[in-house]
Amino acid sequence: MHAPGYDTSGLPTWNASQAAIDAYGKHLPDIRFIASLLAGYQSDREALTERLTHGQDAVLSEVHLLAMEARDELLETGAVLDALALSCTPGPYLPGEEPYDDVPEPVDSAVELRTDAAMLAERLVAHDRIHGGGKTSRPPQPRTDGDRDAERDSARAYLRREWIAAREVRLGGHRLP
């Protein structure tokens, strides 16, 4: 791809080379979309850096907004993984803490999917403990009895409640059919 130009909105536009068109074919629009997202993130970071000169209150407000955006991304991605994991046969998680380097191969895909869903749910729980944002209840606390699977189940249940609550707010309190 060639160097980006800019459209009227200030976001970059890409002029794909023939090599890029040949390599990515019909998926090239997806690549362009990702490039636009990355440029948007870069623009956000530059704007935050510029706000540092205007005082701490503006920065704290911007950091709070970024934290809420990060929460939304955890919530959406976690809900997708959780729904996929719920579609598998119920069962255990990978043992231990992440990263799961000590796990013998091969790993059942359902176990890996459940573990990944739990990992994102636990990140949401940790995020909400630090920044707030829970709408349904307080985030679950780590279990002290050492039952790691119960802790993961609790985090996933919290993620489900939070995602459903967020969807209902977006839909004005109405559920999808």
Side-chain angles (χ1 to χ4, degrees):
M1 294 184 146
H2 302 289
Y6 291 89
D7 65 14
T8 56
S9 69
L11 290 176
T13 57
W14 293 91
N15 298 319
S17 67
Q18 188 59 48
I21 293 169
D22 292 343
Y24 288 99
K26 69 179 183 180
H27 301 289
L28 193 57
D30 297 336
I31 301 293
R32 287 181 174 155
F33 178 70
I34 292 168
S36 294
L37 285 177
L38 293 173
Y41 292 152
Q42 177 63 29
S43 175
D44 289 346
R45 286 190 295 273
E46 288 171 359
L48 181 58
T49 302
E50 185 178 315
R51 286 187 187 101
L52 280 170
T53 62
H54 298 330
Q56 188 170 354
D57 289 340
V59 171
L60 290 177
S61 175
E62 186 73 17
V63 167
H64 178 71
L65 289 175
L66 291 173
M68 292 301 104
E69 287 177 17
R71 181 186 193 274
D72 288 345
E73 290 174 6
L74 281 172
L75 193 58
E76 296 292 329
T77 308
V80 169
L81 279 178
D82 185 59
L84 290 170
L86 288 171
S87 299
C88 298
T89 311
Y93 298 94
L94 291 174
E97 303 290 328
E98 65 172 294
Y100 302 102
D101 296 331
D102 298 337
V103 177
E105 295 292 329
V107 175
D108 179 30
S109 61
V111 172
E112 189 173 17
L113 189 56
R114 275 191 296 279
T115 304
D116 290 344
M119 179 186 68
L120 277 178
E122 289 171 333
R123 287 184 182 168
L124 176 72
V125 167
H127 181 280
D128 284 358
R129 283 190 202 131
I130 294 168
H131 299 286
K135 294 173 182 34
T136 61
S137 61
R138 293 177 50 158
Q141 294 297 318
R143 298 177 61 88
T144 57
D145 62 3
D147 189 354
R148 184 79 173 107
D149 285 358
E151 181 181 332
R152 290 171 172 168
D153 289 342
S154 178
R156 286 179 60 198
Y158 175 77
L159 181 137
R160 277 182 225 123
R161 290 191 306 270
E162 290 295 310
W163 187 83
I164 289 168
R167 293 296 300 162
E168 288 179 349
V169 166
R170 287 185 191 134
L171 297 171
H174 303 288
R175 290 181 181 253
L176 290 173

